[in-house]
Amino acid sequence: MTSLDTTMRLSADPAKVKFYRIAVEGSRLIRSAWTEGRRPRETVTECASEPEAEREFEKLCWKKLREGFAHVADAAQAARGAVVLDVKVPNRSWAEAFDLSPDGRTIVVGTMLKDAYGAEIHLIDVGTGHRRLIHAEPVGDRQTFVHAVHFDAGGEHIVYALNEETRLFNPASGQTRVLAQYREFQDAHFNPFRVRPSWDAARRRLLLFDTGDRVRIVDMLDQDGNDVFATSAERPSTRCWAGALSPSGKLMALCFTKGSRYKDDDPEVTEVEIWDIDRRKVVRRIPMDRKPHSIGFDPTGTLLVANPESNEGPRAYSLETGELVWHFPHPFLADRGATCYGWAYSPDGSTLAIGRRGNTDVVDAVTRHSDPAFTHRPGDLGTGRTYTVRISADGTLVASGGDTGRIIVRKL
């Protein structure tokens, strides 16, 4: 007999928290609603079949999420793989624009208003699901795309990319400082949908893309904001497609590409430069057969990790030899890799979380075997194309977000 049960809460008003329980027992759909401190009002519906009851369960969960309710559980008491938070972000989210604070207590998410004119940044409390607007970008003549949002090391400031600008925002004071800016095809060739600011593991060094095709690394703990490193990404015939810092902050990867895999007269050529920041030189060039959607490093700083295009991978290349070390093959198609939209390592390097279609696959980083505690479950609507995966600094929580607009946090 099918058995599903979830209790959701709406904490828009901390003094008047509302609850809504949805349960399925066989073909019976049970709904209960109450305000904190009051008795529940229960409604029971007899569905035609158990599958119909499951479908109604999913519809009701999604309806309540859109209304602002969230599923919340105590992370300290949760079992591995259990959902700690399931929440729908406000407005329309750009699937890659969210971050989990280092302590795992807060989510920051960048959202867009209708037709991407106007944007908002919200904080979501992982323990309660409470959402708070901290910044609103006014509606103007130009669309406003929030491409990335990141907490700083202390979780007190937000680095976010809006169109071609990277900004530092202080929620406490409301002050914003521009860290880097350019105009695509005017004073730089960067594509803001491809190159984004990124941190090292300590969130001290920040990779930026700036006017004049400059790539800069800034020490954000330096009071003067001096560059640790800067170079030009201008190349004769290729375009800078992606970039990333290693966890140590001592290596940088820049991907350059040209052509198209669909044009015989202009074939695609892709190469990743590995820079040693302290030595200020390229130490390895790694060719790829396809341009990656994103690139990064493993925690040891010995592998370059990438997902080809936007939905395959990940693949790992040796920084020493440039050779492909491992990849996730497609279960049925020999000419392509497994579905992957995003990925993240745990800080200790033992776990790799991969954003799949509808769910996040958590695997052992050495054996690359999936953990069954994170398999798809009945009644779970999932995160759709799961573009962003974040793991807390202590390695106890994994947060996933995708094109359904939902963010789901699970216990690791």
Side-chain angles (χ1 to χ4, degrees), residues 72 83 86 90 99 148 192 198 231 286 391:
V72 179
V83 174
D86 184 354
D99 194 20
S198 62
T231 189
I286 300 177
I391 296 179

Side-chain angles (χ1 to χ4, degrees), residues 97-101 106-109 149-151 199 203 390:
F98 91 86
D99 194 20
L100 182 65
S101 63
T106 312
I107 289 170
V108 61
V109 58
V149 287
H150 299 286
F151 283 104
W199 289 106
R203 305 194 188 214
R390 299 282 187 257

Side-chain angles (χ1 to χ4, degrees), residues 161-338:
L162 182 83
N163 292 341
E164 299 105 326
E165 289 189 355
T166 300
R167 305 172 179 177
L168 180 67
F169 175 66
N170 183 343
S173 67
Q175 292 182 337
T176 300
R177 178 163 61 96
V178 176
L179 301 175
Q181 61 183 336
Y182 61 90
R183 289 297 176 263
E184 186 180 13
F185 300 128
Q186 296 181 33
D187 56 23
H189 295 91
F190 298 127
N191 182 341
F193 288 88
R194 296 297 179 184
V195 296
R196 301 180 179 91
S198 62
W199 289 106
D200 62 3
R203 305 194 188 214
R204 175 167 185 163
R205 290 185 171 184
L206 180 66
L207 175 64
L208 299 170
F209 299 88
D210 213 338
T211 183
D213 288 302
R214 288 188 303 152
V215 177
R216 300 168 46 226
I217 299 175
V218 179
D219 184 343
M220 294 299 288
L221 297 185
D222 185 342
Q223 296 296 324
D224 298 325
N226 293 321
D227 290 352
V228 174
F229 173 85
T231 189
S232 173
E234 188 174 4
R235 300 292 184 272
S237 60
T238 61
R239 186 177 186 182
C240 185
W241 184 256
L245 282 179
S246 68
S248 68
K250 295 182 178 180
L251 298 175
M252 175 181 69
L254 291 179
C255 175
F256 295 89
T257 186
K258 68 173 183 176
S260 170
R261 59 186 297 198
Y262 304 107
K263 294 182 179 180
D264 294 335
D265 60 342
D266 187 19
E268 181 180 300
V269 177
T270 301
E271 183 180 74
V272 178
E273 294 179 354
I274 306 298
W275 285 78
D276 185 306
I277 302 305
D278 294 334
R279 295 163 61 190
R280 301 180 179 274
K281 63 181 293 187
V282 177
V283 294
R284 173 68 61 186
R285 287 184 168 87
I286 300 177
M288 292 186 176
D289 57 353
R290 280 182 288 166
K291 66 181 68 171
H293 178 69
S294 63
I295 55 177
F297 296 84
D298 76 322
T300 67
T302 60
L303 297 175
L304 173 73
V305 184
N307 51 312
E309 300 298 335
S310 63
N311 61 355
E312 290 186 39
R315 295 182 174 190
Y317 300 81
S318 169
L319 295 186
E320 182 178 353
T321 66
E323 298 295 321
L324 180 66
V325 177
W326 53 256
H327 74 288
F328 286 83
H330 194 280
F332 311 114
L333 304 175
D335 64 338
R336 62 183 302 177

Side-chain angles (χ1 to χ4, degrees), residues 150-161:
H150 299 286
F151 283 104
D152 70 350
E156 298 176 351
H157 297 82
I158 308 296
V159 173
Y160 71 98

